[in-house]
Amino acid sequence: MAMLTATIAGGLMGFGLINFMAHKAKSANHPWDVREFTAEGDVLGRVDAWAAANGYKLRSDDGRRRVYQKGINILTAPMRLDVERDGNRYTTRSYVHVDGLLLKGDLALSYPGVTAKLPRANALKAQNQLLAELGQPPLA
């Protein structure tokens, strides 16, 4: 009986912690890091090659905006990169998506707190490699 009680208490505490982190992400007012730049050549092809090499999967593509994601919200928050194209102008958004089932929020990779620290650090390293390949300054 004590084991069942401890299991239920642990599950409830974990559920509460995840929703607390989602609340922090939602209320942080720092949902993503943005880079805007102009580039020639096959930028999207380079992004696709980077995504494949770093474990990011194409989540959606509407012709103008692509969303890449690494992770499926098991043990760590999914790491995302959005790439928008308008001619030869590109905009990237880098963030982690914290899904607490009841609450959801996005958090920039450069956010200074400890919320989702591990996935933010991993995504920051990988996405800074991409930005370097594209001739852009790294995220903070």
Side-chain angles (χ1 to χ4, degrees):
M1 189 65 171
M3 189 168 171
L4 179 62
T5 303
T7 302
I8 292 171
L12 289 173
M13 287 184 353
F15 182 72
L17 181 61
I18 289 202
N19 278 291
F20 175 73
M21 287 192 329
H23 172 69
K24 293 277 288 177
K26 187 174 184 172
S27 63
N29 292 329
H30 195 64
W32 47 69
D33 294 301
V34 176
R35 271 291 178 269
E36 295 178 343
F37 59 95
T38 303
E40 299 296 329
D42 188 16
V43 172
L44 295 178
R46 291 164 62 185
V47 173
D48 286 338
W50 165 85
N54 287 280
Y56 282 75
K57 307 278 189 234
L58 185 60
R59 181 180 166 97
S60 69
D61 181 359
D62 66 7
R64 185 169 176 263
R65 177 177 175 231
R66 292 182 178 183
V67 179
Y68 298 88
Q69 178 175 308
K70 181 176 181 178
I72 56 172
N73 206 31
I74 296 178
L75 300 180
T76 62
M79 298 159 265
R80 292 188 179 165
L81 173 71
D82 295 4
V83 180
E84 282 189 40
R85 178 181 181 195
D86 185 15
N88 66 346
R89 296 218 23 95
Y90 295 88
T91 303
T92 64
R93 285 186 198 83
S94 303
Y95 58 100
V96 294
H97 179 72
V98 183
D99 184 353
L101 301 177
L102 297 176
L103 296 170
K104 298 176 186 192
D106 296 330
L107 194 59
L109 303 184
S110 63
Y111 180 73
V114 296
T115 304
K117 180 94 172 147
L118 183 61
R120 286 188 298 114
N122 290 338
L124 186 63
K125 181 179 176 185
Q127 293 184 28
N128 275 339
Q129 288 174 344
L130 172 64
L131 290 172
E133 289 177 25
L134 298 175
Q136 298 303 309
L139 300 171

